[in-house]
Amino acid sequence: MDWDEEAEQIAEMLPIPPMMGPYARLQAEKIARHNGLDRVTVDAVRQTEDIYREFIGDEKTEQLRAFIQGTGPAPEMEDELFFENEHALYNIEVCFTKYGENTKTVREALKDMKRSVELLLEEENVTEIMADLAPVALHGASRFNVVLTGCPNCCVSPYMRDFGIIMQHKVDITDQECTRCGKCLTMCIDNVITLTEKGPDIDVNRCALCELCARDCPTGTLVVQERGFQVVTGGTGGRHPRLAVPVESFVTKDRVLAILRKALGLLRTAHSGENLGKIIERDGIDALR
Ligand code: SF4
Ligand code: SF4
């Protein structure tokens, strides 16, 4: 699709994380198409900016704007959320929250969890466990893979890994007056919020515990009071792909670590070539509880 020159210039300066740049262009083209246009205009790029602001939040948007315009430092990358150790047979992936889309509270909780997981994996000597389980020469696929995500959107999928830790956020409705702005309805992609005369109502049985509605509620009518973790395990790709299955939901960090310790105990006595998925298939998920 063609772009107006000014639209191109504004798109170059959009305050979004670098890896989202190409997607933002597609978003602008989508908006143009939906407006019946065959070229991207300044208006479509402005609407794109609004959509991404809603997605990554005001704080990060303004940091990125200042950086791009040369009036502020590069947005802080959370070094502690990256993992790299080629001498270990395990890997820890953390969701894109490392680029700052999530709130500071969530980033801090993930950093804390990552540190504890790493310590536990070292303490239990997972490198030796995985080395002993490997039926062929040790290589990247011999590793024990852990994924941590800041919300159930799971941008980095825990469902194809050995052990997934998904942060969950319970949203409560407070007495603060709702202005019926509708932001929560936009943010809830599962459509589980209804706006009544008295304010918002959440179908808790269908709520994904993602906190997006509370993050954007301007009045404090919707707030997160409690956070927990869901543990999923047994996922793998390769010759016999399998999706990870839930072990427990809305548990504390200590409970997550207890489940991880138990999982490593099962692997320690497993047969060569086995993984958590095979163990669960054989012994059932209760082996981990
Ligand atoms: S926390 Fe629940 S109600 Fe709120 S946006 Fe997520 S799914 Fe919707
Ligand atoms: S975002 Fe908050 S103030 Fe706006 S409609 Fe939803 S609950 Fe009400």
Side-chain angles (χ1 to χ4, degrees), residues 6-28:
E6 199 184 344
E8 281 277 12
Q9 287 164 3
I10 298 173
E12 290 283 307
M13 302 290 281
L14 279 181
I16 53 176
M19 79 284 194
M20 286 186 185
Y23 299 111
R25 288 185 68 86
L26 295 174
Q27 178 77 49

Side-chain angles (χ1 to χ4, degrees), residues 33-84:
R33 264 191 296 113
H34 286 199
N35 287 338
L37 302 172
D38 59 2
R39 57 189 303 112
V40 178
T41 60
V42 169
D43 189 45
V45 179
R46 295 276 184 231
Q47 286 181 48
T48 299
E49 180 175 337
D50 290 345
I51 288 171
Y52 279 87
R53 173 188 281 276
E54 221 161 52
F55 194 54
I56 66 176
D58 289 345
E59 182 196 343
K60 191 58 65 176
T61 300
E62 291 316 317
Q63 275 180 16
L64 283 160
R65 189 192 307 287
F67 173 61
I68 288 163
Q69 292 177 350
T71 56
E76 195 186 329
M77 291 293 171
E78 307 272 351
D79 281 349
E80 284 180 77
L81 291 172
F82 291 86
F83 175 81
E84 196 66 66

Side-chain angles (χ1 to χ4, degrees), residues 129-130 132-135 141-145 160-163 233-244 262-284 287-288:
I129 296 176
M130 297 312 288
D132 292 346
L133 279 177
S142 315
R143 293 177 298 182
F144 182 75
N145 289 298
M160 293 294 281
R161 300 289 187 272
D162 297 292
F163 201 89
T233 183
T236 184
R239 288 162 70 94
H240 304 290
R242 192 186 283 111
L243 284 182
K262 199 155 191 180
L264 297 175
L266 293 176
L267 285 174
R268 193 174 281 112
T269 54
H271 304 298
S272 172
E274 280 192 329
N275 54 28
L276 283 177
K278 278 191 189 161
I279 295 171
I280 292 166
E281 210 169 84
R282 191 186 60 217
D283 300 341
L288 277 166

Side-chain angles (χ1 to χ4, degrees), residues 110-287:
L110 287 180
K111 276 197 270 185
D112 180 50
M113 178 64 89
K114 182 180 151 285
R115 278 193 295 267
S116 300
V117 165
E118 206 173 333
L119 273 177
L120 195 149
L121 293 176
E122 286 292 336
E123 200 179 298
E124 295 286 330
N125 207 345
V126 73
T127 296
E128 264 184 32
I129 296 176
M130 297 312 288
D132 292 346
L133 279 177
V136 294
L138 299 181
H139 60 300
S142 315
R143 293 177 298 182
F144 182 75
N145 289 298
V146 180
V147 166
L148 310 185
T149 77
C151 76
N153 284 347
C154 297
C155 299
V156 176
S157 178
Y159 294 103
M160 293 294 281
R161 300 289 187 272
D162 297 292
F163 201 89
I165 304 167
I166 304 163
M167 207 165 169
Q168 297 177 307
H169 316 271
K170 188 167 167 292
V171 173
D172 283 329
I173 302 168
T174 69
D175 291 338
Q176 294 297 317
E177 196 177 341
C178 163
T179 55
R180 302 179 62 82
C181 68
K183 282 193 171 180
C184 55
L185 301 183
T186 310
M187 294 312 287
C188 184
I189 49 182
D190 288 322
N191 296 322
V192 305
I193 304 179
T194 319
L195 275 188
T196 69
E197 283 306 312
K198 290 184 190 154
D201 187 44
I202 298 177
D203 180 347
V204 289
N205 294 320
R206 291 171 50 229
C207 170
L209 307 174
C210 71
E211 86 161 341
L212 291 179
C213 54
R215 223 171 66 175
D216 268 35
C217 174
T219 54
T221 311
L222 298 175
V223 293
V224 175
Q225 305 274 28
E226 230 183 316
R227 300 179 199 272
F229 300 92
Q230 183 181 45
V231 174
V232 298
T233 183
T236 184
R239 288 162 70 94
H240 304 290
R242 192 186 283 111
L243 284 182
V245 291
V247 184
E248 287 181 16
S249 290
F250 219 82
V251 294
T252 62
K253 176 186 156 194
D254 285 350
R255 182 66 191 143
V256 171
L257 297 175
I259 297 170
L260 178 57
R261 204 180 283 280
K262 199 155 191 180
L264 297 175
L266 293 176
L267 285 174
R268 193 174 281 112
T269 54
H271 304 298
S272 172
E274 280 192 329
N275 54 28
L276 283 177
K278 278 191 189 161
I279 295 171
I280 292 166
E281 210 169 84
R282 191 186 60 217
D283 300 341
I285 193 75
D286 282 345

